[in-house]
C-alpha cells in the first residue's frame, strides 16, 4: 500500500474549517482507494506570528522538505498582522524555496453553480508564474517619513523563469485543447514584457501543434468576461496571473470555488495546494465557509501524487453535490452540511 505524508497548514480564520473538510474527504477516498495519507498539522499562522514574531520557525522550510505535499487552508488576518508580513513570511518563502514556479488555477462552472456571465461552457486553465516577476521582492524605501521618501519595486524576469513557465503552459495546452494564450503588457512595458513575448514566439516554433496567441492584460481581462469559452490555457506573469485568476474565480461563481496548486514540476521538492480564497475573518467560526475550493485543491494534490483515479472520484463527488444545489450559494449551507454531502457522494 502506498503511503503519502502531507503537511497540513490550516492557517487563519476559515482556513481551519476548510482544512478539516478537505482532510475528511481526502482521508475517506484514500481508504477506499487503498493508499494512505498521513497528515502532520502545523499551527503556522498570524496567531503564531503574534506569539513568536515569525510566520514559521527559522527551520520551517527544512521541516516541510521531507513531506510529499503541503495542504494549506488560508493565511492572513489584516487586522492583526499586515498582509505584507504574512505573505512574505510564509507563502512566498515556501513557493520560492521549493521552486513551485507553476501556479495552476482551473476556472469552470461546477454543475448547479450560477456564474455572473451569459457564457457557461468555459474551461480555462490559468498558469501563473509563481517565483519571480513582479513579486520578486527586489526594491526598497529611502528617506522614509520625509517629503523626499522614495519607494522602488523592481520586477525580475529571467530567461530561465520565463521559458520554463511558458514551456509548462505549452505542455498543458498540448494535453488539453491545443490553445495557449500568453498575457503581457508589452506595448507599455518595453523591456520585461517584450522579453516575455519574444520567448513566447521562440517556444511557439517548437510547439507547432499548439495555437499560440499573445494578448495584452487588459484585452485578456475583457476576453475572459466577453468570450471565456474560447480560451483554453492562459499563461501570465506573477502579478498579471494573480489578477486574472481572481477574475477567473469571479466568473466561476466566486472564490469559494477557486482551487489552486503551486507545483514543482520536476518533483525535487514538495508542491503546495490551497484554495484561492483568503481567511475571511468576518465569517470565521460561523460555520458557513464553503469547503469546495479546498476539496478541489485536495483533488489536485491527489492528481499530482499520481493518484489520478482518486482525484477523479473526489471531483465526481463534488460535482454530484453541487448539481443537487448544495454548496452553490455563498453562506446558504453550513460547512459541515456541504462536507457531509460530498462524503455521502463518495459512496
Amino acid at each position: 500500500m502506498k503511503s503519502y505524508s502531507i503537511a497540513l497548514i490550516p492557517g487563519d480564520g476559515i482556513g481551519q474549517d476548510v482544512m478539516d473538510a478537505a482532510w475528511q474527504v481526502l482521508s475517506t477516498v484514500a481508504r477506499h482507494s487503498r493508499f494512505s495519507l498521513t497528515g502532520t498539522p502545523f499551527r503556522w499562522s498570524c496567531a503564531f506570528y503574534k506569539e513568536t514574531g515569525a510566520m514559521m520557525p527559522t527551520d520551517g522550510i527544512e521541516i516541510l522538505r521531507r513531506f510529499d505535499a503541503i495542504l494549506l487552508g488560508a493565511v492572513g488576518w489584516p487586522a492583526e498582522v499586515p498582509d505584507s508580513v504574512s505573505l512574505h513570511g510564509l507563502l512566498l518563502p515556501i513557493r520560492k524555496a521549493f521552486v513551485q514556479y507553476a501556479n495552476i488555477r482551473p476556472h469552470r462552472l461546477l454543475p448547479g453553480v450560477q456564474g455572473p456571465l451569459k457564457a457557461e461552457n468555459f474551461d480555462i486553465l490559468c498558469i501563473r508564474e509563481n517565483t519571480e516577476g513582479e513579486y520578486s521582492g527586489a526594491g526598497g524605501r529611502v528617506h522614509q517619513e520625509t517629503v523626499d521618501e522614495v519607494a522602488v519595486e523592481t520586477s525580475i524576469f529571467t530567461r530561465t523563469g520565463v521559458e520554463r513557465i511558458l514551456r509548462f503552459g505549452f505542455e498543458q495546452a498540448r494535453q488539453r485543447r491545443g490553445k495557449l494564450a500568453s498575457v503581457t503588457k508589452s506595448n507599455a512595458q518595453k523591456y520585461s514584457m517584450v522579453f516575455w513575448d519574444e520567448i513566447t514566439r521562440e517556444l511557439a516554433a517548437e510547439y507547432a501543434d499548439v495555437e499560440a496567441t499573445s494578448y495584452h492584460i487588459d484585452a485578456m481581462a475583457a476576453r475572459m468576461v466577453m468570450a471565456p469559452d474560447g480560451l483554453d490555457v492562459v499563461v501570465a506573469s506573477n502579478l498579471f496571473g494573480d489578477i486574472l485568476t481572481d477574475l477567473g474565480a469571479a466568473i466561476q461563481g466566486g472564490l469559494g470555488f477557486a482551487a489552486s496548486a503551486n507545483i514543482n514540476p520536476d518533483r525535487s521538492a514538495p508542491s503546495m495546494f490551497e484554495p484561492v480564497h483568503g481567511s475571511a475573518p468576518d465569517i470565521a467560526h460561523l460555520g458557513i465557509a464553503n469547503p469546495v475550493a479546498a476539496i478541489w485543491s485536495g483533488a489536485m494534490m491527489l492528481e499530482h501524487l499520481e493518484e489520478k483515479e482518486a482525484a477523479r472520484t473526489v471531483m465526481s463527488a463534488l460535482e454530484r453535490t453541487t448539481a443537487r444545489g448544495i454548496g452553490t450559494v455563498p453562506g446558504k449551507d453550513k460547512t459541515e452540511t456541504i462536507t457531509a454531502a460530498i462524503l455521502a457522494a463518495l459512496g
Side-chain angles (χ1 to χ4, degrees):
M1 178 183 290
K2 290 184 178 179
S3 178
Y4 305 97
S5 59
I6 312 299
L8 306 177
I9 308 177
D12 301 295
I14 63 171
Q16 182 68 62
D17 297 337
V18 299
M19 174 69 79
D20 288 346
W23 193 244
Q24 286 184 62
V25 171
L26 295 174
S27 298
T28 300
V29 78
R31 288 195 299 272
H32 292 174
S33 304
R34 297 187 177 181
F35 64 88
S36 68
L37 295 174
T38 301
T40 301
F42 296 94
R43 52 184 295 270
W44 304 342
S45 61
C46 289
F48 184 83
Y49 177 86
K50 291 186 70 178
E51 292 177 15
T52 68
M55 290 297 295
M56 62 177 170
T58 55
D59 61 346
I61 294 298
E62 292 311 308
I63 290 172
L64 293 176
R65 193 178 296 278
R66 62 186 174 87
F67 289 91
D68 295 308
I70 304 162
L71 190 63
L72 188 140
V75 173
W77 205 289
E80 301 292 333
V81 178
D83 283 341
S84 58
V85 171
S86 58
L87 181 65
H88 286 271
L90 188 64
L91 292 183
L92 293 188
I94 292 173
R95 290 171 177 172
K96 292 176 181 179
F98 295 147
V99 200
Q100 297 169 351
Y101 67 80
N103 184 277
I104 305 173
R105 300 185 179 185
H107 302 296
R108 62 182 176 87
L109 284 173
L110 293 173
V113 176
Q114 182 68 51
L117 305 182
K118 293 180 181 178
E120 296 182 347
N121 296 319
F122 56 87
D123 182 358
I124 305 170
L125 188 69
C126 276
I127 298 173
R128 163 191 172 191
E129 200 291 315
N130 211 32
T131 59
E132 56 175 46
E134 303 90 346
Y135 293 177
S136 296
R141 292 168 64 179
V142 296
H143 308 305
Q144 288 181 259
E145 299 182 6
T146 74
V147 294
D148 298 313
E149 184 167 4
V150 177
V152 177
E153 192 92 31
T154 302
S155 298
I156 305 294
F157 289 87
T158 65
R159 177 168 287 274
T160 295
V162 175
E163 181 172 329
R164 69 188 179 186
I165 195 63
L166 284 167
R167 191 176 294 279
F168 185 87
F170 274 106
E171 292 292 340
Q172 294 299 308
R174 182 174 270 175
Q175 297 172 31
R176 287 169 51 95
R177 299 191 303 279
K179 297 170 65 178
L180 179 134
S182 174
V183 181
T184 66
K185 187 61 176 171
S186 51
N187 59 339
Q189 295 175 282
K190 64 180 182 177
Y191 300 117
S192 60
M193 296 286 96
V194 169
F195 177 59
W196 183 294
D197 283 351
E198 288 172 355
I199 296 175
T200 301
R201 288 193 294 271
E202 291 173 11
L203 289 180
E206 296 183 30
Y207 292 88
D209 55 325
V210 175
E211 178 187 339
T213 307
S214 291
Y215 290 86
H216 290 151
I217 176 66
D218 41 357
M220 176 52 68
R223 176 73 185 270
M224 287 181 69
V225 172
M226 300 302 294
D229 46 344
L231 296 170
D232 182 15
V233 174
V234 175
V235 185
S237 69
N238 216 329
L239 174 62
F240 291 167
D242 196 1
I243 295 168
L244 286 177
T245 51
D246 267 20
L247 177 56
I251 67 174
Q252 73 181 120
L255 287 170
F257 305 103
S260 78
N262 302 276
I263 298 295
N264 173 305
D266 68 11
R267 300 173 185 269
S268 60
S271 294
M272 179 168 62
F273 303 83
E274 57 173 319
V276 174
H277 63 68
S279 60
D282 56 325
I283 64 168
H285 312 303
L286 293 181
I288 58 172
N290 191 337
V292 167
I295 294 168
W296 191 341
S297 300
M300 296 176 76
M301 182 185 77
L302 294 180
E303 184 171 5
H304 180 72
L305 294 173
E306 301 294 343
E307 297 294 346
K308 299 183 184 299
E309 185 58 39
R312 285 191 289 268
T313 298
V314 171
M315 289 308 301
S316 178
L318 264 183
E319 291 170 353
R320 289 200 297 275
T321 299
T322 58
R324 294 170 54 202
I326 300 173
T328 59
V329 178
K332 181 177 74 71
D333 299 309
K334 293 286 188 179
T335 309
E336 61 184 18
T337 301
I338 302 170
T339 307
I342 294 170
L343 288 169
L346 288 174

